[in-house]
């Protein structure tokens, strides 16, 4: 009877789940074995692939240079031999300035008024914007275990509950053996 209990107890201890460290060691060993076999049989080794996409956008930019407004006045005496001379006002106007010139009492008067404005200067290709995106694809030559939650079959539930019942039976047997309960 003791041998049956000993066999059952050892059966319970030696049936366990695999640990993550042991699983990592097994995966590393399988990967090394795969790579050595691929080299030995001259198979192409599947490598990682990296694809880089980059885009450069070049834009023109316009800078407005402000020209401050100025007023310039000047007069030059004109010598007239036969009396004084007067003239009407002569106006000249551009997008950035206004000029007036006239002769009054023998004196040439001239004004130049500059309009407050901004001159646009365009610099081609001044602003460069670059964006880069990397797509990395790693092809794994061996199976990666992904845990998936699935319902258990009836026989798996049977093994789980039989193990629970067996532990209770072993625990009660040990308690009964050491404390000598009187039954009956």
């Amino acid at each position: 009877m003791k041998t049956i209990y000993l066999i059952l107890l050892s059966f319970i201890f030696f049936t366990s789940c695999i640990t993550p460290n042991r699983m990592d060691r097994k995966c590393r060993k399988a990967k090394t074995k795969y790579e050595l076999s691929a080299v030995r049989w001259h198979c192409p080794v599947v490598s990682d692939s990296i694809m880089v996409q980059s885009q450069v956008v070049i834009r023109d930019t316009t800078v407005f240079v402000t020209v401050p407004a100025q007023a310039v006045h000047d007069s030059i005496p004109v010598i007239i031999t036969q009396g004084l001379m007067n003239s009407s006002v002569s106006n000249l106007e551009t997008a950035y300035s206004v000029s007036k010139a006239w002769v009054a009492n023998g004196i040439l008067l001239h004004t130049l008024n500059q309009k407050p404005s901004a001159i646009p200067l365009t610099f081609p290709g001044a602003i460069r914007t670059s964006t880069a995106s990397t797509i990395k694809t790693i092809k794994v030559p061996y199976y990666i275990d992904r845990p998936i939650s699935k319902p258990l079959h009836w026989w798996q539930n049977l093994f789980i509950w039989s193990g629970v019942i067996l532990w209770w039976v072993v625990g009660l047997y040990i308690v009964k053996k050491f404390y000598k309960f009187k039954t009956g």
Side-chain angles (χ1 to χ4, degrees), residues 55-60 124-131:
Q55 178 182 13
V56 177
V57 178
I58 300 173
R59 291 185 288 154
D60 297 343
I127 298 176
R128 292 179 185 242
T129 306
S130 63
T131 58

Side-chain angles (χ1 to χ4, degrees), residues 65-73 92-100 110-119:
V65 178
T66 305
V67 178
Q70 293 179 346
V72 178
H73 301 282
L92 295 176
E93 187 172 344
T94 64
Y96 303 111
S97 63
V98 175
S99 174
K100 292 181 183 180
H110 187 236
T111 61
L112 177 64
N113 294 324
Q114 201 164 6
K115 296 178 183 177
S117 60
I119 300 172

Side-chain angles (χ1 to χ4, degrees), residues 143-154:
Y143 177 73
I144 295 178
D145 186 25
R146 293 188 186 107
I148 299 172
S149 176
K150 295 192 304 187
L152 297 176
H153 293 288
W154 65 269

